[in-house]
């Protein structure tokens, strides 16, 4: 028993395989069964450029044109969402901010309805950005919480907006007067998108094999 | 089971069994990486106090520094340390050399190149959104267009080379009855390959959202539980009996400890994302297996403490044993804590808070780094063939580290509870941040102690290598009179 092949195949491959089936294949299959879960690609998500994206174009026409010559088109919206998300990952925002609202700890009173699986079934959540640490607030329902101007002021120097803040300044993505660079446009566009996949008329989710969340 | 001997075994062809230069380079690289990692952790902790030194630098932004901190700890310090350790332990136990010394040098340089590309990637905002697997994919997301060195691919190549290198002696010894250490190492190497591939391919390329989250949870968990933990326990089963010059207390407990780890550990992966959109039944499965594993951990810890019975004085006389057992105590505390905080009752308060950060440091620094320091205590004089420069510095390294991690753990645990209850109590976010600031000061102070200790350790290694007091292999590792 206590020989090479036992440890390669029984412990190594075998035990790993069992866990892989139970904690990956099972949830994947039950989530697939769950109604309303259709995978949305980026161009589908970006089909209708958000109001905030258009507002950025209005507020900073020249800077916007330099980055997005065609204006606030779906194609450019998709580009901005993707770049914003990449920056959110690259700057490790996700190590200070989570992106899911739980059903416990009064979180729905603070941030809105608890997150559901279908909201994450899209290209901008691959991989998901749930995070495991909240130094700052949850951002899953950020859409519409603040205006573009608020975000710009906040990125320039978080302490100007919230004096207690420990969030770093991201002033290098903006001109000193607040005009965003490409990165600034992208970041704000991405942040304003967060939570828009939530559909309030969607039936309350009942997890297959689990309890429903009333 | 192969027997331990004090003389380096020399196979019949006359070439040495163990390649000491390779070990030396890996330990040095590991030492540099742990220093980088800790300085990064320290810098990042300054952000929380409002004294971050480079607020206007995009390259050195706090977020990037955090990525440096965790990834240099994992891929720089632990991987280099464990690989160096394996180069000593596996040939000694199997009686066969690793596959090839040339391959060894290739692995060494490939691995340091990986670290360089990883660091360069972070500075340029290239990062993969997988915790502890942030090594850049190098591809523009959703396409096969390169935007950086494909570090994930390189890590895969590096890991496969390490596995080949170490599996060759293990395979050659397949007719032998394996000693416990080799159970852990053999399985751990297989797990490493499977875990890395699973974690870096599936969430990024195959499964989005919640289904992918189940896999990233499993990845974070398996990297710690199925690579770091087997390497750690494997080395404990090797070095503790070797230094104490007596066998492990109970073979049955070793068997239980190993198989229960193999079976239960990977099942707990989803516990990193509890009360989330992952189906409830999967969460319940993860919670119950996580609790099961703490029972097993207890058997392993009991086994080691029973082994120490009658040799308690070794804690005083042998620095390696002291690191190992201090690490084992912290291992037990962390796992005991885990059995509680994995439940929803605790999760709703402590998840997302500093509690978890305290937990992570207790296990990664308090246990696995301590064990590697113990290994270094044993290996370094044999590698550089010099007596340790200073016993005093060793003491400073140990006590500053122990004091530092104890303070950091208690401090972050308290901070986590306060923050958790404030979130539940719907206090404004400002209350929570403001209330945490004093605790963050203490954390930085604890980090300062730990770094100072580390500097003592590294300086001691440096001076040892430069000293001219030649190391003579001891007849007895500890004073028998002290029994
Ligand atoms: C000088 C000592 C150290 C200091 C000051 C320090 C500081 C920090 C800080 C500030 C964080 C971020 C916490 C947060 O996100 O809120 C962190 C996270 C982390 N550190 Fe350290 N650290 C130190 C040593 C180490 C060592 C030696 C290791 C491992 C070998 C380590 C492993 C980790 C891990 C795994 C995390 C992620 C924790 C999580 O996200 O839950 N740290 N550290």
């Amino acid at each position: 028993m206590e020989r090479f092949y036992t440890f390669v195949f029984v412990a190594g491959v075998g035990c790993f395989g069992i866990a892989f089936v139970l904690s990956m294949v099972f949830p994947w299959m039950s989530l697939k069964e769950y109604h309303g879960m259709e995978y949305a690609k980026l161009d589908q998500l970006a089909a209708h450029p958000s109001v905030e994206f258009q507002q950025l174009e209005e507020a900073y026409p020249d800077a916007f044109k330099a980055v997005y010559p065609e204006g606030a088109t779906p194609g450019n919206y998709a580009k901005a969402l993707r770049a914003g998300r990449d920056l959110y990952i690259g700057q490790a925002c996700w190590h200070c901010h989570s992106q899911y609202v739980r059903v416990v700890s009064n979180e729905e009173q603070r941030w809105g309805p608890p997150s559901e699986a279908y909201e994450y079934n899209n290209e901008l959540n691959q991989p998901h950005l749930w995070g495991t640490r909240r130094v700052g607030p949850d951002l899953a329902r950020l859409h519409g919480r603040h205006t573009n101007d608020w975000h710009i002021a906040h990125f320039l120097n978080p302490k100007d907006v919230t004096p207690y803040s420990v969030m770093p300044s991201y002033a290098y993505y903006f001109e000193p007067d607040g005009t965003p660079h490409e990165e600034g446009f992208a970041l704000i566009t991405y942040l304003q998108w967060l939570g828009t996949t939530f559909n309030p008329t969607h039936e309350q989710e009942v997890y297959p094999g689990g309890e429903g969340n009333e | 089971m192969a027997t331990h001997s004090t003389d380096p075994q020399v196979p019949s062809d006359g070439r040495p069994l163990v390649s000491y230069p390779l070990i030396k380079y890996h330990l040095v690289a590991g030492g540099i990486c742990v220093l980088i990692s800790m300085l990064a952790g320290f810098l990042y902790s300054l952000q929380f106090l409002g004294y971050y030194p480079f607020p206007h630098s995009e390259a050195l932004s706090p977020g990037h520094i955090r990525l440096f901190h965790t990834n240099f700890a994992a891929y720089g310090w632990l991987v280099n340390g464990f690989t160096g350790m394996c180069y000593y332990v596996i040939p000694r136990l199997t009686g066969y050399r690793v596959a090839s010394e040339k391959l060894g040098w290739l692995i060494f340089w490939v691995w340091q190149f990986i670290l360089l590309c990883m660091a360069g990637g972070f500075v340029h905002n290239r990062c993969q959104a997988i915790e502890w697997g942030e090594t850049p994919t190098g591809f523009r997301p959703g396409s096969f267009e390169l935007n950086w060195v494909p570090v994930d691919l390189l890590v895969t190549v590096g890991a496969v080379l390490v596995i080949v290198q170490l599996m060759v002696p293990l395979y050659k010894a397949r007719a032998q009855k394996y000693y416990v250490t080799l159970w852990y190492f053999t399985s751990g190497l297989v797990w490493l390959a499977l875990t890395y591939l699973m974690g870096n391919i599936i969430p990024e390329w195959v499964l989005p959202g919640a289904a992918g989250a189940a896999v990233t949870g499993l990845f974070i968990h398996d990297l710690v539980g199925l690579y770091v933990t087997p390497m750690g326990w494997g080395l404990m089963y090797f070095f503790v009996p070797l230094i104490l010059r007596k066998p492990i207390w109970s073979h049955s407990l070793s068997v239980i400890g190993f198989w229960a780890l193999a079976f239960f550990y990977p099942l707990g992966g989803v516990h990193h994302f509890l009360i989330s959109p992952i189906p409830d039944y999967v969460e319940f499965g993860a919670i119950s297996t996580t609790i099961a594993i703490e029972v097993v951990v207890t058997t392993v810890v009991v086994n080691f403490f029973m082994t120490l019975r009658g040799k308690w004085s070794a804690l005083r006389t042998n620095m390696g044993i002291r690191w190992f057992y201090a690490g084992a105590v912290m291992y037990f505390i962390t796992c005991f804590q885990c059995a509680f905080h994995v439940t929803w009752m605790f999760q709703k308060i402590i998840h997302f808070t500093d509690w978890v950060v305290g937990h992570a440091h207790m296990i990664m620094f308090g246990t696995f780094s301590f064990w590697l320091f113990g290994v270094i205590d044993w290996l370094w004089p044999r590698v550089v063939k010099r007596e340790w420069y200073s016993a005093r510095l060793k003491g400073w390294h140990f006590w500053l580290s122990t004091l530092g991690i104890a303070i950091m753990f208690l401090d972050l645990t308290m901070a986590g509870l306060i923050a958790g209850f404030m979130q539940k109590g719907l206090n404004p976010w400002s209350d929570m941040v403001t209330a945490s600031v004093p605790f963050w000061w203490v954390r930085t102070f604890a980090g300062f102690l730990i770094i100072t200790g580390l500097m003592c350790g590294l300086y001691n290694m440096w001076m040892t290598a430069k000293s001219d007091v030649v190391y003579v292999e001891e007849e007895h590792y500890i004073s028998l009179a002290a029994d």
Side-chain angles (χ1 to χ4, degrees), chain A residues 64-125:
Chain A
F64 196 90
K65 199 150 198 86
V67 183
Y68 308 108
E70 306 85 6
T73 58
N76 283 334
Y77 185 48
K79 205 172 121 193
L81 284 177
R82 173 57 85 190
R85 179 185 139 95
D86 285 355
L87 211 54
Y88 186 93
I89 298 170
Q91 279 287 4
C93 311
W94 53 294
H95 281 308
C96 273
H97 291 284
S98 61
Q99 282 193 19
Y100 73 97
V101 183
R102 303 181 299 169
V103 290
V104 292
S105 274
N106 299 319
E107 286 181 14
E108 66 271 37
Q109 291 186 46
R110 206 188 271 280
W111 290 307
S115 303
E116 300 186 22
Y118 74 87
E119 296 177 55
Y120 297 96
N121 196 29
N122 54 57
E123 198 176 330
L124 286 183
N125 273 294

Side-chain angles (χ1 to χ4, degrees), chain A residues 133, chain B residues 66 69-70 131-132 357 361 364-365 369 443 447 451:
Chain A
R133 179 80 179 94
Chain B
R66 190 195 197 277
H69 175 54
T70 48
E131 204 170 343
W132 261 46
V357 182
H361 284 92
M364 280 301 133
F365 180 70
S369 301
R443 185 245 312 264
I451 292 181

Side-chain angles (χ1 to χ4, degrees), chain B residues 26 49 71 147 150 172 222 230 302 305 323 340 357 362 443 453:
Chain B
H26 274 292
L49 312 177
N71 288 280
N147 66 1
K172 282 186 186 156
D222 281 1
V302 165
F305 275 89
W323 283 115
F340 292 92
V357 182
M362 186 80 150
R443 185 245 312 264

Side-chain angles (χ1 to χ4, degrees), chain A residues 3 30 91 105-106 166 173, chain B residues 47 58 61 175 281 348 424:
Chain A
R3 276 172 222 276
S30 14
Q91 279 287 4
S105 274
N106 299 319
V166 295
Y173 294 142
Chain B
Q47 170 65 31
E58 183 189 357
S61 71
Y281 71 92
K348 58 189 180 193
K424 177 160 196 254

Side-chain angles (χ1 to χ4, degrees), chain B residues 193-217:
Chain B
L194 296 174
T195 302
Y196 195 81
L197 288 177
M198 171 192 76
N200 283 277
I201 293 176
I202 294 175
E204 181 79 40
W205 306 100
V206 187
L207 293 182
V215 184
T216 45

